[in-house]
Amino acid sequence: MKRLLLSLLAVPAFADDLTIQPGYVHSEFIFESARFPSCHASTIVQTSSGLVAAWFGGTHEGAPDVGIWLSRQLEGKWSDPVEVANGVRSDGRRFACFNPVLFQPAKAPLMLFYKTGGAPNGWDAFFKTSYDAVHWSAANPLPSGFVGPVKNKPVQLSDGSLLCGASTETPEKPSRWRVQIEHTADLGKTWEKTGYLNDGLTISAIQPSILFLRGDRLLAIGRTRQEHLFRTTSSDGGRTWSEMTLTDLPNPNSGIDAVTLRDHRHLLVYNHTTRGRSPLNVAVSSDGKTWQAALVLENEPAEFSYPAVIQTADGLVHIVYTWKRQRIKHVVIDPAKLVLTPIVNGEWPPSAQ
């Protein structure tokens, strides 16, 4: 009953036109048709020449023909998707690609992280670099035991180093889902990592997003099997982390993403339900603990999942996500115009409907 209530409360009364919500600016599909029938796990970044988005696409998730596809926004229009990475090995075998992550470090080339392999517990991680999002370097492998940013973008610290939310999944049943935070001080040449932040069973957690709290404090938040998002904090720039706990926010074992805005608020995109991958919601917090309802992006009974979110130089927020495994949708919102309503005990407020 509680699961059903959470799902019903997340459906707004103005479901016929979600674009009338305060702060909703624009939405579009990045492509209408493509050479692949299925796509998932999109990522977006702002570069000096405009927005760039990527995702994995192919016959279906896990199929050997699944590669990493990319589109650039040029003069307000998205370019036709092109494949920029695949899982072809030196012996000719081809494996599926998973979970691309685009990131633009300061004063450095654009980075594209991605994984290849037969399953999450058998992935190999790679990254490529580019100065123009058209021509890409060869694939650089990460060291054994490292995943890089497993789904969500890394954050760049004041010293220029990258902090990546990573996670692993073991092959045995029940599989242990454990989070580790990985660090590279030289843009991928060398890597360090924390120990696991959870035992993988009491809280089975993966795919963290990292947010900036005040001072050197950081917050990691993400997906679990326990029907709620997890949270853990660091007071020393990501070297050590607090005990992982569950939040009041529901999670149907599906990926989320979040970003710290320039006004120091935090914006979260997630499925506010414990079952299925609809609705897809936006919430905002000033402290990373108490969240307020902001928008409902999708609410029909279908899959809307795996969001990625950034704030661009003009202050607008850009979100991309999987739309029914058929296309990638791009939504623009103005965080200054959002009307917020508190989320109490994990229930999406009727006044936000």
Side-chain angles (χ1 to χ4, degrees):
M1 179 61 70
K2 183 178 180 181
R3 292 182 182 180
L4 179 60
L5 179 62
L6 284 167
S7 297
L8 292 174
L9 286 171
V11 179
F14 41 73
D16 290 340
D17 187 2
L18 297 176
T19 66
I20 69 173
Q21 298 171 94
Y24 197 110
V25 176
H26 172 70
S27 66
E28 63 190 344
F29 292 112
I30 291 181
F31 58 87
E32 293 292 340
S33 62
R35 285 180 283 166
F36 43 83
S38 177
C39 58
H40 190 42
S42 54
T43 177
I44 188 169
V45 68
Q46 183 180 33
T47 70
S48 60
S49 59
L51 294 174
V52 180
W55 57 90
F56 71 71
T59 302
H60 57 79
E61 181 174 354
D65 68 346
V66 172
I68 305 301
W69 294 78
L70 179 143
S71 179
R72 297 178 296 145
Q73 194 180 65
L74 305 171
E75 298 181 349
K77 296 184 178 180
W78 291 97
S79 64
D80 291 337
V82 295
E83 189 180 61
V84 294
N86 59 48
V88 176
R89 303 294 172 86
S90 59
D91 61 5
R93 293 181 300 162
R94 178 164 178 164
F95 294 87
C97 289
F98 297 88
N99 294 11
V101 176
L102 288 164
F103 186 70
Q104 179 63 73
K107 301 178 182 179
L110 177 64
M111 304 182 78
L112 169 65
F113 296 90
Y114 62 100
K115 278 63 69 180
T116 72
N121 56 59
W123 282 347
D124 292 315
F126 299 87
F127 74 91
K128 292 185 173 189
T129 59
S130 175
Y131 286 95
D132 58 7
V134 177
H135 305 92
W136 291 87
S137 71
N140 300 284
L142 272 65
S144 177
F146 288 82
V147 184
V150 68
K151 175 197 171 291
N152 299 321
K153 59 195 173 298
V155 295
Q156 190 162 23
L157 304 180
S158 59
D159 63 2
S161 62
L162 302 186
L163 208 61
C164 304
S167 56
T168 63
E169 304 173 32
T170 58
E172 74 270 7
K173 294 184 179 180
S175 174
R176 288 181 180 267
W177 284 15
R178 291 180 286 192
V179 169
Q180 63 191 38
I181 304 299
E182 300 179 1
H183 175 268
T184 173
D186 47 20
L187 300 178
K189 294 179 182 177
T190 60
W191 291 83
E192 299 176 343
K193 61 182 177 180
T194 65
Y196 290 123
L197 307 189
N198 58 310
D199 67 8
L201 295 175
T202 306
I203 298 180
S204 296
I206 54 174
Q207 300 173 350
S209 290
I210 300 175
L211 300 172
F212 290 98
L213 303 177
R214 299 287 181 168
D216 290 331
R217 298 182 63 238
L218 300 167
L219 167 67
I221 186 170
R223 168 184 179 178
T224 78
R225 286 171 164 166
Q226 277 69 44
E227 299 187 346
H228 293 270
L229 297 179
F230 79 81
R231 76 185 309 272
T232 177
T233 60
S234 172
S235 298
D236 55 12
R239 291 186 291 275
T240 61
W241 293 80
S242 67
E243 180 181 359
M244 184 178 290
T245 58
L246 296 175
T247 73
D248 287 337
L249 295 178
N251 180 248
N253 189 11
S254 185
I256 62 100
D257 196 16
V259 64
T260 299
L261 303 174
R262 285 197 290 278
D263 63 10
H264 303 294
R265 294 184 299 165
H266 313 289
L267 188 145
L268 170 69
V269 189
Y270 69 112
N271 298 105
H272 190 96
T273 180
T274 58
R275 182 171 53 188
R277 293 184 171 183
S278 180
L280 186 65
N281 305 66
V282 177
V284 174
S285 174
S286 60
D287 61 5
K289 293 181 181 179
T290 303
W291 293 88
Q292 295 183 293
L295 290 173
V296 178
L297 299 177
E298 301 281 357
N299 58 19
E300 67 172 290
E303 179 177 349
F304 309 104
S305 63
Y306 266 56
V309 58
I310 61 170
Q311 185 178 33
T312 47
D314 59 6
L316 296 178
V317 167
H318 295 257
I319 303 166
V320 290
Y321 55 89
T322 297
W323 189 87
K324 302 181 180 181
R325 296 272 176 155
Q326 299 169 10
R327 286 181 275 182
I328 302 300
K329 194 167 183 179
H330 171 223
V331 174
V332 184
I333 66 177
D334 185 344
K337 295 181 179 179
L338 296 173
V339 175
L340 306 178
T341 307
I343 297 172
V344 180
N345 297 325
E347 295 183 359
W348 195 263
S351 57
Q353 298 175 21

